[in-house]
Amino acid sequence: LSVPPEIPKEDGRPKWDNKFQYILSCIGFAVGLGNVWRFPYLCQIHGGGAFLIPYFIALLFEGIPLLHLELALGQCLRKGSVGAWNTISPYLGGVGIGSWMVSVLVSLYYNTVLTWVMWYFINSFQEPLPWSVCPLNENRTGLNEECYESTAVSYFWYRKTLNITPDVTETGTLQWWLILCLATCWAIVYLCTIRGIETTGKAIYVTAIFPYLVLTIFLIHGLTLPGATDGLAYLFTPNLNTLKNPRVWLDAATQIFFSLSLAFGGLIAFSSYNPPKNDCEKDAVTVAIVNSMTSLYASIPVFSVLGFKATTGYSDCLDRNIISIINEFDLPEESIMRQNYTAWIGFLNSSYPEKIAGLKLKSCNLQEFLDQSVSGTGLAFIIFTQAIILMPGSQAWATLFFIMLFSLGLSSMFGNIEGVFTPLLELRIVSKSIPKELLSGIICLICFLIALCFTLGSGSYWIDIFDSYAGSLPLLVIAFFEVIGVAYVYKIKRFSKDVKWMTGRKPNLYWQITWRFISPLLLLIVFVAFVILQIQKPPSYAAWNPKYEGFPMKEDKVYPPWVLAICVLLAVLPCVFVPLVALFHLIKRMCRSKDPSFVPPEVFSCQGSN
Amino acid sequence: MLQVLLLTLSVFAIAHAELCKPDAQNAFKVRLSIKTALGDNAYAWDANEEYLFKAMVAFAMRRYSSKSTTQISDVLLCNVTDRVSFWFVVTDSSQNVTTVPGSEVEAAIRMNRNRINSAFLLSDKTLQFLKITSTLSPPVEPSMPVWLIVFGVVLCLIVAGIVFLVVAGIQQRKKKNKESTERENLEEKGEATVTAENGIPCEALDLKAGHINGIFAADDERFTSL
């Protein structure tokens, strides 16, 4: 006699309040800082509108299938990443542990980026904005030298925020203001994740929806700025020649992969709290499309503002030249305007070439200003802050911008923390008597203490290292084993039956082909290409060194061997669990030929797990 | 007589021309950017403005040194261009055909820069004395850094939220414990036999959302033991 499926089984597992909360959490996890500061940059350097072609191909053949796989897995098995993979096959338990490790490593450094955002946010309430003016030097005869030679914005970022050391080996001291902000950020994360999805489900309504509001405001304002159309034209003008470069395809594939936050275990955790009969196929397609649309939507205000900044820079360059000419030739004011500048220059060059040469005028080229493309923290904390100074009402714009960045990052942090939290809750090591509040408090406290390393003078170099090595390669490996595990160990036929039981229809040919062949192949190619690119040149970093001759250009330095060892460790540590756990179980099986605790995968099925 | 007068006048004029010319000793170049500063309210630079300028320089010299007896006619302007830039020099009326040392003029101008600027509705950037640098104003430092205040507010809100949630959780747990001990007590005393199906009391199933499936409930022997 089997239990009729309509009566829900009370297994004490928390659930989402409603479907919308779940979808919003997945979208919030996927939509993060990368959508704002990495996608527009890639679009720009890889031929504008033409980049969308490899991007959508990667979305279709890599992003959506993997997303559907993870969501269906979590929903079917109703366990976090560690438990889920152990259930699929004990040999694949390492995949779950690898996911868990990556979530831990990423949580550590991701919140430090939010710390910087918070620091800028609380500094946005001053008039004038602290990054708009250079401070005076000690004897008040002039401006601070480091600030004078670079820009006020760079100085505020590198000196007043990071207090960066010239080398990754010089650790510097702990920056107390960053420690305060870090403590606040971890307190906010604790507040929101204190009871798992009960509290994140409420917080996500704000943190997932608010960025869209701010993006819309910036979109409307950005389009009204002068020069916005130049920026947008520059961004979207397609240059189909770039598609011949394999680097473009690699960047598209990695961008889709990292943007959807796959292989972290967070998505598996989120969908494990769903009722088993839920259309995960529709959810996957929805989340993937919303994520890509958000990237596109965010690139419009970003490039409007960048176009505005380039136009302002170009106008300032012209104005400086005009003032020099007027002062030199004692011409009346406003005789040379920007429109007749070229005519005047031509005339004066022919009549007084030595005087013009003596002035040392800079050539002003709008294209040059537009070409200054930056991604990542440089875009947010240097370029965008500079553009905000030029807007009227800069305090309001700065505040809005940094709250938006904070919400984007916070909703991604929820997914990371959930990826750490859920497997720990299910582990028998953690006794049932520990209340959830205490467990999440312990996780946040330990992460905060470890993340104090990132508040040192060399902290931002270490964050770059973590981002490049812990947050990239292991994910590719884990995702590859995920697809292979489900397709060839669990067998696609059984998986399709499970998905049919959950959604009510069998996965069609598209899913079958992508899960079986295309996605694993694509992941393998991306992984190999990634490794080849990394090996080609010795890993280097750009250091901010005021004593460098080429200052304010950054100095290119190579990592010392011990740092390289740490990089390799970060990349290898999550991946190494996959073979280790498989080996462990193999040895265990060989030692005891009849192992009663070994569950052959054939017996397990999705319906039976309820 | 008339010729002598004419001669002295011409000598005087030539001497003045000698004193005030570009890059002369103790001469300063001044550059005004009236249209940049005032836009539509810009005034035209004419002889009256020049007179005012001479008066301001004389005022500055007098204010700087109480011994000074500089007259407006002692200040000489020359080479006025359309840019509105010109050279000026301050002569010493007590000793003919000599100029006041540049350092004194510089000090006087620097001391009274504010007054001179406001007389012309200009600022340090739009009324430039090319060899005289202006002292930079110290940055405005509030007594308490603003960011600490904002930080304090944010932190207080968060700590309040955490404390509220933790306390609410503890209270909820105490209530649940009390309910379960009450139920255990009732069961022990045997006052109420609570029959349960899958951990849910049957009474609750009856009263709330449960459905009793008549086919299964009617036939007790068919139930397999759990």
Side-chain angles (χ1 to χ4, degrees):
Chain A
L1 200 72
S2 63
V3 180
E6 281 80 31
I7 299 179
K9 178 127 188 224
E10 297 276 339
D11 55 0
R13 196 175 179 76
K15 3 188 245 290
W16 297 105
D17 289 344
N18 50 51
K19 174 93 181 263
F20 185 58
Q21 222 178 52
Y22 160 66
I23 295 280
L24 217 54
S25 296
C26 290
I27 291 177
F29 185 30
V31 171
L33 296 168
N35 293 65
V36 169
W37 71 33
R38 181 123 177 101
F39 177 79
Y41 165 73
L42 286 176
C43 239
Q44 182 198 356
I45 62 170
H46 288 318
F51 181 70
L52 294 176
I53 299 177
Y55 184 73
F56 278 110
I57 292 180
L59 178 69
L60 211 57
F61 290 117
E62 192 193 338
I64 298 185
L66 281 168
L67 190 60
H68 186 199
L69 192 94
E70 287 209 6
L71 291 182
L73 208 67
Q75 197 174 290
C76 169
L77 301 172
R78 317 205 72 218
K79 292 213 181 104
S81 58
V82 176
W85 288 103
N86 260 324
T87 317
I88 291 225
S89 159
Y91 294 107
L92 286 175
V95 177
I97 299 182
S99 283
W100 184 84
M101 262 277 53
V102 171
S103 284
V104 171
L105 291 173
V106 171
S107 301
L108 287 176
Y109 78 80
Y110 204 80
N111 219 13
T112 315
V113 177
L114 288 186
T115 306
W116 299 335
V117 174
M118 162 151 282
W119 166 251
Y120 267 79
F121 165 69
I122 61 182
N123 270 301
S124 305
F125 290 96
Q126 300 178 31
E127 163 69 27
L129 288 171
W131 55 81
S132 61
V133 287
C134 271
L136 301 177
N137 54 21
E138 281 99 27
N139 35 12
R140 305 240 287 253
T141 53
L143 300 171
N144 179 301
E145 196 188 322
E146 189 183 343
C147 186
Y148 181 70
E149 290 188 17
S150 58
T151 55
V153 188
S154 310
Y155 176 76
F156 186 75
W157 168 238
Y158 287 110
R159 190 54 50 211
K160 282 272 151 39
T161 306
L162 301 175
N163 201 5
I164 205 167
T165 53
D167 197 283
V168 72
T169 48
E170 290 177 41
T171 49
T173 53
L174 289 170
Q175 318 304 330
W176 62 271
W177 56 91
L178 283 182
I179 296 182
L180 284 181
C181 293
L182 186 72
T184 315
C185 284
W186 276 110
I188 294 180
V189 169
Y190 178 52
L191 175 68
C192 296
T193 58
I194 195 168
R195 286 203 210 116
I197 62 165
E198 289 170 42
T199 40
T200 59
K202 314 275 186 314
I204 202 78
Y205 285 117
V206 174
T207 59
I209 297 186
F210 186 70
Y212 288 96
L213 281 173
V214 177
L215 276 176
T216 309
I217 297 176
F218 263 100
L219 182 89
I220 299 175
H221 178 72
L223 288 174
T224 61
L225 293 170
T229 37
D230 289 316
L232 284 175
Y234 186 68
L235 167 71
F236 283 120
T237 313
N239 176 13
L240 290 163
N241 284 326
T242 54
L243 294 182
K244 297 194 197 116
N245 181 6
R247 190 67 205 264
V248 176
W249 295 87
L250 177 66
D251 276 341
T254 45
Q255 171 62 14
I256 267 293
F257 184 76
F258 298 134
S259 175
L260 284 171
S261 308
L262 298 165
F264 276 91
L267 288 166
I268 297 183
F270 279 155
S271 58
S272 70
Y273 297 116
N274 266 339
K277 290 240 172 198
N278 176 48
D279 194 344
C280 48
E281 180 179 340
K282 211 161 65 168
D283 296 341
V285 175
T286 310
V287 171
I289 291 188
V290 169
N291 179 52
S292 298
M293 288 300 126
T294 308
S295 293
L296 276 172
Y297 189 61
S299 51
I300 300 180
V302 167
F303 266 86
S304 310
V305 172
L306 288 182
F308 162 69
K309 179 176 176 296
T311 305
T312 314
Y314 172 67
S315 305
D316 281 346
C317 179
L318 275 182
D319 284 343
R320 268 197 306 267
N321 286 356
I322 289 175
I323 291 280
S324 312
I325 296 176
I326 288 184
N327 286 347
E328 177 69 18
F329 290 93
D330 280 321
L331 300 165
E333 282 180 283
E334 294 182 5
S335 54
I336 307 184
M337 303 296 284
R338 292 182 203 150
Q339 295 91 308
N340 50 16
Y341 171 74
T342 29
W344 269 99
I345 273 281
F347 166 68
L348 288 171
N349 226 350
S350 48
S351 348
Y352 309 96
E354 335 77 41
K355 265 192 168 183
I356 294 283
L359 283 177
K360 293 208 207 341
L361 298 171
K362 268 179 80 167
S363 70
C364 300
N365 186 357
L366 181 61
Q367 200 60 24
E368 221 179 271
F369 283 99
L370 283 170
D371 274 335
Q372 291 168 1
S373 55
V374 190
S375 80
T377 51
L379 179 72
F381 298 118
I382 299 185
I383 308 272
F384 227 77
T385 44
Q386 201 161 30
I388 286 179
I389 303 174
L390 303 165
M391 298 180 198
S394 17
Q395 279 81 9
W397 296 113
T399 313
L400 270 180
F401 179 63
F402 290 115
I403 294 191
M404 175 189 81
L405 285 187
F406 194 76
S407 312
L408 281 173
L410 195 63
S411 50
S412 300
M413 269 305 284
F414 292 161
N416 281 327
I417 292 286
E418 207 52 51
V420 175
F421 192 51
T422 306
L424 281 179
L425 272 183
E426 292 158 2
L427 237 43
R428 278 174 304 235
I429 302 173
V430 173
S431 118
K432 286 275 186 275
S433 66
I434 294 187
K436 273 194 249 189
E437 289 92 339
L438 192 61
L439 181 65
S440 51
I442 293 176
I443 293 178
C444 289
L445 187 67
I446 294 180
C447 287
F448 164 67
L449 290 173
I450 300 181
L452 282 177
C453 306
F454 295 122
T455 59
L456 292 167
S458 54
S460 82
Y461 298 133
W462 285 104
I463 290 192
D464 282 334
I465 290 176
F466 268 68
D467 194 31
S468 317
Y469 293 98
S472 60
L473 211 65
L475 292 171
L476 288 169
V477 171
I478 291 171
F480 177 71
F481 280 106
E482 278 188 6
V483 184
I484 294 289
V486 169
Y488 298 108
V489 176
Y490 189 74
K491 303 278 192 305
I492 279 287
K493 239 197 248 172
R494 266 173 56 216
F495 191 65
S496 305
K497 245 199 306 201
D498 292 334
V499 174
K500 180 169 178 202
W501 184 79
M502 290 194 293
T503 63
R505 50 182 189 283
K506 189 168 189 287
N508 57 29
L509 194 64
Y510 161 70
W511 301 111
Q512 305 284 344
I513 295 183
T514 48
W515 281 337
R516 264 190 243 248
F517 309 114
I518 300 189
S519 295
L521 193 65
L522 217 58
L523 276 175
L524 194 64
I525 295 176
V526 169
F527 173 72
V528 168
F530 204 80
V531 171
I532 289 179
L533 271 169
Q534 292 281 10
I535 297 180
Q536 263 176 0
K537 48 180 175 55
S540 65
Y541 65 105
W544 178 264
N545 185 4
K547 298 201 180 33
Y548 177 53
E549 311 92 49
F551 188 76
M553 302 300 288
K554 291 186 152 182
E555 188 182 352
D556 274 316
K557 291 190 179 176
V558 183
Y559 288 124
W562 66 273
V563 174
L564 273 178
I566 294 185
C567 298
V568 170
L569 185 73
L570 283 174
V572 161
L573 188 66
C575 312
V576 86
F577 280 105
V578 178
L580 268 184
V581 170
L583 213 65
F584 169 72
H585 280 285
L586 202 67
I587 294 177
K588 207 161 90 164
R589 190 183 184 191
M590 289 201 300
C591 287
R592 325 182 199 170
S593 48
K594 284 190 206 149
D595 192 351
S597 65
F598 174 59
V599 180
E602 285 74 43
V603 173
F604 172 79
S605 115
C606 195
Q607 296 94 307
S609 76
N610 298 324
Chain B
M1 186 63 198
L2 198 65
Q3 284 142 330
V4 173
L5 203 62
L6 271 170
L7 202 62
T8 39
L9 272 175
S10 52
V11 165
F12 203 57
I14 293 169
H16 273 205
E18 289 291 315
L19 289 175
C20 177
K21 62 173 195 259
D23 296 320
Q25 199 192 34
N26 300 329
F28 292 91
K29 183 165 182 184
V30 181
R31 188 187 290 146
L32 288 91
S33 310
I34 308 174
K35 283 210 193 113
T36 316
L38 300 169
D40 287 331
N41 299 328
Y43 48 82
W45 186 261
D46 53 15
N48 297 331
E49 308 286 343
E50 288 181 20
Y51 191 80
L52 178 60
F53 184 79
K54 292 184 198 177
M56 291 308 294
V57 173
F59 162 75
M61 296 301 297
R62 285 181 179 230
R63 204 153 169 262
Y64 171 66
S65 155
S66 49
K67 292 195 300 284
S68 164
T69 53
T70 319
Q71 306 291 328
I72 290 184
S73 47
D74 288 335
V75 183
L76 307 172
L77 264 63
C78 51
N79 280 67
V80 184
T81 63
D82 282 334
R83 170 72 179 85
V84 194
S85 66
F86 50 85
W87 289 82
F88 79 94
V89 76
V90 183
T91 55
D92 201 339
S93 46
S94 55
Q95 300 157 28
N96 241 343
V97 210
T98 50
T99 51
V100 175
S103 50
E104 274 186 44
V105 179
E106 186 175 329
I109 302 268
R110 202 182 249 141
M111 190 176 112
N112 299 287
R113 190 66 188 269
N114 258 356
R115 301 290 296 270
I116 302 177
N117 284 351
S118 38
F120 290 96
L121 306 172
L122 298 172
S123 67
D124 276 1
K125 279 179 98 167
T126 39
L127 169 56
Q128 291 168 299
F129 290 84
L130 285 186
K131 274 187 284 185
I132 305 177
T133 53
S134 44
T135 48
L136 298 160
S137 55
V140 177
E141 289 261 351
S143 52
M144 171 82 160
V146 176
W147 70 265
L148 264 181
I149 300 176
V150 180
F151 171 77
V153 167
V154 169
L155 196 63
C156 285
L157 286 172
I158 295 166
V159 169
I162 293 179
V163 166
F164 169 71
L165 280 177
V166 168
V167 165
I170 295 178
Q171 277 182 346
Q172 215 176 39
R173 199 158 292 116
K174 263 198 223 155
K175 210 166 68 170
K176 236 195 299 187
N177 278 344
K178 212 164 66 168
E179 270 178 16
S180 65
T181 48
E182 270 180 15
R183 220 179 56 189
E184 274 171 25
N185 289 342
L186 284 173
E187 280 180 1
E188 279 175 15
K189 291 179 191 168
E191 279 177 8
T193 48
V194 182
T195 47
E197 174 82 3
N198 283 352
I200 307 166
C202 280
E203 286 85 343
L205 273 179
D206 264 330
L207 296 169
K208 289 185 184 162
H211 290 283
I212 304 249
N213 192 332
I215 298 181
F216 288 104
D219 212 337
D220 277 305
E221 294 93 57
R222 290 265 191 91
F223 278 167
T224 51
S225 54
L226 291 163

